[in-house]
Amino acid sequence: MRPAREARHRKTTLGARWPLLLALAVLTGACSLLAESALSDKPPAGGAEPPNGGACAPGCAADACCDGACVDLSQDGAHCGACGNACGAGESCCGGSCTSVLNDPTNCGACGAPCLNTLCVGGHCSSECVFGFDNCDGNIVTNGCEVDLTSDPERCGGCSLRCPSGAICDEGQCACAPPLLDCDERDDTGCETDGSSNPANCGGCGVTCGPNMECQAGVCGCQPGYDDCNGSADDGCESTLGTSERCRACGDTCADGMICDPGGGCACANGLLDCDGAPGCESPATDPTSCGACGAQCAPETPFCDGAACMPTCASGLAACGFSCVDMQTSPRHCGACGVAAGPHQHCEAGALACDAGFADCDPNVPGCESDLARDPQHCGACGTVCKPGAACAAGACACGGFTPHDCGADCRACCSDADCSDGDGCTADVCADGGTVCRSTACAEGQQCCSLIACRQCCTSADCSGDEICSGGACIPPCGSGLAACDGACVSLGSAQHCGACGNACLSGRECRDGACTPAWVLMTRIGAPAPRQLAAATWIGNALFVWGGRTVSGDVSDGALYDPARDVWSSLGGAGAPSARVVAGAAWTGSLVLVWGGGSFASTSGLSTGGAYDPVARTWRAMSTTNAPTARRSPFAVWTGTRLLIWGGTAGGAPAAGGGLYDPVADTWAPISSAGAAPARDGVAWAWSGTELYLFGGRAGEATTNEGYAYNPTTDVWRALPTAGAPGPRADAFAVWMGNRLLVWGGQDKNDATLDDGASYDAAAGTWLAIDNKDAPSRRSRSERRTGWTGWTGARALIAGGRNDAMFRKDGKLYDPAAGWHASMSPAAKQHSYGVGVWTGTELILWSGLDGLLLVADGERFRP
């Protein structure tokens, strides 16, 4: 690979010199003309007449009147952009600029004929993509190199390189949006770690805050009451403040005879005075030369001092040590007997010497209480308690240090296994080396390169390949022959059922590929192995299969389910052990590795549940979800996987709309509430859609009235914002909502009088404005009832509005909406109503299964492909 890369480098360098040489040539010519004009005494050509000759017809712009004729400066080769600016040989005037249509990708072969992110060679658009783009669908003639590899998280740096959930594509590299981090290298959890507050990954994966430290805004800092006095990050903030050695900060040491008042700093200990002005409090208040105050000397008739006043003799309860009247129960200089003084970190308690809090006399040969139990690793928390190697003593407890954060049993080390060395880079092999003292990483092997931090591959784009080879599926392959396209490293026919019209466009079971399109549109699903017919079941798409669970059969509420594979037209049952209790209208979402089912309730009740379960389709096992801090019980909640959390919002409880919601972390099995500041109020009939970063809500019923208020919630920042009402659709409930890549479509619904609507608008998230949509060829008026009828989908180019009802009439047809061209092709009617049944959009198909057809519970299933 190295010779090929060097050849490309030389070619690129040579090509880069031509603009410079051309600029020098033009500059040299311009300087000659300028010199001739400046030095010559000849009059201008044409004498005093204007350079454009005579006058032009009225209405001609002044700058377009050239030599007495009105010209189109945008396309006149003799006057391109300005009078007299003639294009050179082989050049055309396009848009007022001279260019060669033989190699201009914006004007290839003719003015206004752009190449779609491909190079222009000889006046024809080539099959070579411009840098940063690639032809991922194989249709280079139709839409060129349609994918921006620098910003598309689905194809970041290469057609088959998908960023983990929640990550963004930044200049062709997958990255987490700050402060989020991907520290577990699992695609299903995406950017799962908040680097702004996680003490184990503070500001970066593996950046561990030491003992007594906390992570604030991505930086490790000491917790209140602690400080880092030894300057070592390994043992964190090892020093407790508020002591005489470290009163308010490191180095703030109280002098002899002083104690620490954390609020006011160092002060004289009880019974001592500072009478000499030097640091420390050296004079006992019981000294007759400074009795109760500096300079207060006792008279001969009252020679004894009790610390407050001079007396003829010591009062009862006080003992005379010289002329000082002391309480031997508490005196630090006469504890239990005259002259018995407390040492460092000692005080007098009940007539006996005692250690100050946090200190101990672990060495009898050293005066006082010399051992700091808060940070001495040889006496941590108690005399003789030795911390294991690699650990530090902080706040009286042994803990692994910042440089040795992993507890490996006998000691603390940098790592215990290779798993501890993961750096989040899929292109490195990370191992725990040198007995756990260091992590070492090995980059891609020779001949391979890192593609988007995902994997080591031969190539990321075609620019990495030599000669005429192209990059497909991470490998360099020869160009495909006529009628074939490169798909994941192989040349395939786009007329096959696996790649029908585009790479990866599989027709799935029941269809064939004709003229680049899968047909027929509707196919029936097998009944063999299917679960019992039901209504109000939980359902979601798990990437390659339909997940169905719970609901109500003719026998009652159930807690079983199945998976349906549309590629093979096969049903398979779920494992039942540990599944949640039987229920209807539960929410379900797919994380990439688990199905999370939560909420719902009994068919015979309006009350809800606040329990759920996580199903692993590979292991075919269930586990219960934590209920601690879970949202309040509810039915029919909106359930969305954000990339790192399950977002639960809305639903009903006791027949009324439920407010608020929560975020569930399946890795930690914990719930967190979502913000209520500026949140959408609880309403019935709210239209909703997930954009990939925000939950959008629109309309709904507020009491007897409808509203056109809209809201967006960002779970990453935990912030709500209100959408503008100017230009928004009129007040309504039960509307359809579809996220169309960069815009929200809201259409249909019911007004406050329950009249069905047939209009709508789209919301441009980037501009923050609503845009009217043309109702020409729109679907018939209809509304959508959550968990009853009405389904939506986004094909990548068009939005699908399907089903719904007009008053009491259930619709079985639908329509496709193109944001650029308006209402598009119609969806032919389904065979059954499937009301209260399963309706799931897979990304390419709408799958409808079971539910009611009229009043009859049906076992039928059918799939529609636009």
Side-chain angles (χ1 to χ4, degrees):
M1 292 300 294
R2 186 180 302 276
R5 286 198 293 270
E6 292 176 352
R8 281 200 310 277
H9 178 70
R10 290 195 295 271
K11 180 179 179 181
T12 302
T13 303
L14 179 61
R17 291 177 179 172
W18 279 110
L20 177 60
L21 296 175
L22 180 60
L24 291 173
V26 172
L27 181 59
T28 303
C31 290
S32 300
L33 292 174
L34 180 61
E36 181 181 353
S37 174
L39 299 176
S40 176
D41 58 356
K42 294 186 296 184
E49 286 196 86
N52 62 0
C56 292
C60 181
D63 60 352
C65 183
C66 303
D67 296 330
C70 192
V71 300
D72 185 351
L73 299 178
S74 68
Q75 59 182 3
D76 192 316
H79 308 282
C80 188
C83 291
N85 185 36
C87 295
E91 291 186 326
S92 299
C93 182
C94 298
S97 298
C98 294
T99 185
S100 172
V101 297
L102 295 178
N103 55 22
D104 184 353
T106 59
N107 302 280
C108 191
C111 292
C115 295
L116 301 176
N117 300 319
T118 65
L119 300 178
C120 178
V121 179
H124 297 280
C125 295
S126 74
S127 60
E128 184 70 15
C129 299
V130 300
F131 184 76
F133 289 83
D134 210 339
N135 174 31
C136 294
D137 64 3
N139 295 335
I140 199 163
V141 175
T142 303
N143 56 7
C145 298
E146 80 287 352
V147 175
D148 184 351
L149 301 179
T150 65
S151 61
D152 188 344
E154 296 294 318
R155 302 172 181 86
C156 188
C159 290
S160 59
L161 300 177
R162 181 180 183 181
C163 291
S165 299
I168 60 174
C169 183
D170 182 14
E171 297 184 356
Q173 296 285 333
C174 294
C176 294
L180 296 182
L181 304 168
D182 177 18
C183 296
D184 63 3
E185 290 190 292
R186 290 176 52 184
D187 288 352
D188 60 315
T189 59
C191 303
E192 82 292 341
T193 301
D194 184 349
S196 67
S197 60
N198 190 313
N201 303 279
C202 188
C205 294
V207 179
T208 306
C209 295
N212 302 322
M213 302 186 82
E214 57 188 7
C215 184
Q216 301 175 339
V219 178
C220 293
C222 293
Q223 295 177 358
Y226 298 93
D227 210 339
D228 179 15
C229 296
N230 62 7
S232 171
D234 193 36
D235 57 3
C237 298
E238 80 292 342
S239 298
T240 304
L241 301 181
T243 68
S244 58
E245 288 186 341
R246 300 169 296 276
C247 186
R248 289 177 294 185
C250 297
D252 184 16
T253 303
C254 297
D256 290 342
M258 305 186 81
I259 59 174
C260 176
D261 176 4
C266 296
C268 287
N270 186 35
L272 293 178
L273 302 171
D274 180 13
C275 296
D276 61 2
C281 301
E282 77 291 341
S283 299
T286 58
D287 191 323
T289 62
S290 53
C291 186
C294 294
Q297 187 166 349
C298 293
E301 60 272 17
T302 54
F304 293 92
C305 177
D306 65 358
C310 295
M311 308 174 66
T313 60
C314 292
S316 176
L318 298 179
C321 291
F323 289 97
S324 296
C325 298
V326 298
D327 182 354
M328 291 187 176
Q329 297 296 301
T330 60
S331 174
R333 296 199 173 191
H334 308 282
C335 185
C338 292
V340 179
H345 307 298
Q346 275 186 327
H347 62 278
C348 185
E349 184 176 329
L353 295 175
C355 291
D356 294 343
F359 289 84
D361 183 11
C362 298
D363 185 352
N365 297 320
V366 178
C369 300
E370 77 292 340
S371 297
D372 186 347
L373 301 181
R375 60 176 186 163
D376 188 342
Q378 299 302 313
H379 307 285
C380 189
C383 291
T385 300
V386 181
C387 294
K388 66 176 65 176
C393 181
C398 294
C400 290
F403 299 145
T404 53
H406 297 283
D407 188 345
C408 300
D411 56 1
C412 294
R413 298 197 295 259
C415 52
C416 305
S417 65
D418 293 349
D420 297 328
C421 296
S422 172
D423 59 4
D425 185 346
C427 297
T428 60
D430 308 308
V431 297
C432 183
D434 299 342
T437 62
V438 66
C439 290
R440 300 193 185 280
S441 298
T442 304
C444 294
E446 185 176 358
Q448 292 188 326
Q449 54 190 300
C450 179
C451 296
S452 300
L453 302 181
I454 298 296
C456 295
R457 307 209 176 182
Q458 183 183 6
C459 59
C460 304
T461 68
S462 296
D464 300 323
C465 299
S466 61
D468 295 331
E469 290 187 327
I470 60 175
C471 184
S472 178
C476 293
I477 64 173
C480 296
S482 177
L484 300 179
C487 296
D488 288 330
C491 293
V492 302
S493 170
L494 296 184
S496 67
Q498 289 73 36
H499 306 280
C500 187
C503 290
N505 186 35
C507 293
L508 306 181
S509 63
R511 297 189 184 92
E512 60 182 353
C513 184
R514 294 182 184 174
D515 300 324
C518 296
T519 187
W522 283 101
V523 293
L524 296 178
M525 298 162 58
T526 183
R527 291 187 178 184
I528 300 174
R534 62 195 64 198
Q535 58 178 313
L536 303 174
T540 190
W541 179 248
I542 66 169
N544 58 5
L546 170 70
F547 171 89
V548 176
W549 180 86
R552 184 171 180 85
T553 68
V554 293
S555 302
D557 297 352
V558 293
S559 61
D560 64 357
L563 295 172
Y564 173 74
D565 180 356
R568 299 182 299 138
D569 192 30
V570 170
W571 286 95
S572 59
S573 62
L574 304 178
S581 60
R583 64 191 68 189
V584 299
V585 293
W590 169 241
T591 72
S593 62
L594 298 172
V595 181
L596 303 179
V597 176
W598 189 87
S602 168
F603 182 83
S605 170
T606 60
S607 61
L609 296 170
S610 59
T611 59
Y615 178 73
D616 184 339
V618 175
R620 293 170 55 83
T621 56
W622 287 91
R623 68 167 173 82
M625 295 167 59
S626 171
T627 58
T628 303
N629 296 323
T632 57
R634 62 195 67 198
R635 304 162 67 90
S636 300
F638 301 166
V640 171
W641 178 245
T642 70
T644 61
R645 303 289 188 271
L646 170 69
L647 168 60
I648 292 292
W649 189 88
T652 64
L663 292 167
Y664 175 72
D665 181 348
V667 177
D669 190 28
T670 56
W671 285 95
I674 65 176
S675 173
S676 60
R683 285 186 181 143
D684 182 39
V686 177
W688 68 281
W690 171 248
S691 73
T693 56
E694 290 183 302
L695 174 66
Y696 282 88
L697 307 171
F698 183 84
R701 296 181 184 86
E704 298 297 323
T706 53
T707 180
N708 68 341
E709 293 177 348
Y711 297 85
Y713 172 69
N714 187 322
T716 301
T717 59
D718 194 27
V719 172
W720 286 90
R721 63 185 177 91
L723 304 185
T725 55
R732 64 194 61 204
D734 297 327
F736 292 83
V738 186
W739 180 254
M740 303 186 298
N742 57 6
R743 282 191 270 173
L744 173 71
L745 173 67
V746 174
W747 189 87
Q750 292 182 319
D751 64 16
K752 64 179 181 180
N753 299 316
D754 294 334
T756 313
L757 304 171
D758 61 354
D759 65 347
S762 67
Y763 175 72
D764 186 330
T769 57
W770 287 94
L771 307 172
I773 62 174
D774 188 351
N775 263 1
K776 182 182 178 182
D777 299 324
S780 59
R781 61 182 68 243
R782 64 189 69 193
S783 65
R784 175 184 179 273
S785 298
E786 182 73 22
R787 309 301 293 267
R788 184 176 184 186
T789 183
W791 309 282
T792 61
W794 172 245
T795 68
R798 294 175 291 176
L800 173 66
I801 299 293
R805 60 175 181 164
N806 182 0
D807 297 327
M809 178 181 294
F810 282 80
R811 307 294 310 188
K812 296 186 288 185
D813 61 348
K815 201 85 172 183
L816 291 161
Y817 177 77
D818 187 327
W823 291 105
H824 198 63
S826 297
M827 168 185 142
S828 55
K832 306 292 184 182
Q833 289 179 0
H834 300 287
S835 61
Y836 300 106
V838 168
V840 171
W841 174 254
T842 70
T844 57
E845 287 187 322
L846 174 65
I847 300 182
L848 303 177
W849 180 77
S850 198
L852 301 176
D853 190 52
L855 299 177
L856 179 65
L857 189 62
V858 296
D860 300 294
E862 46 193 320
R863 304 176 358 239
F864 172 75
R865 190 184 189 100

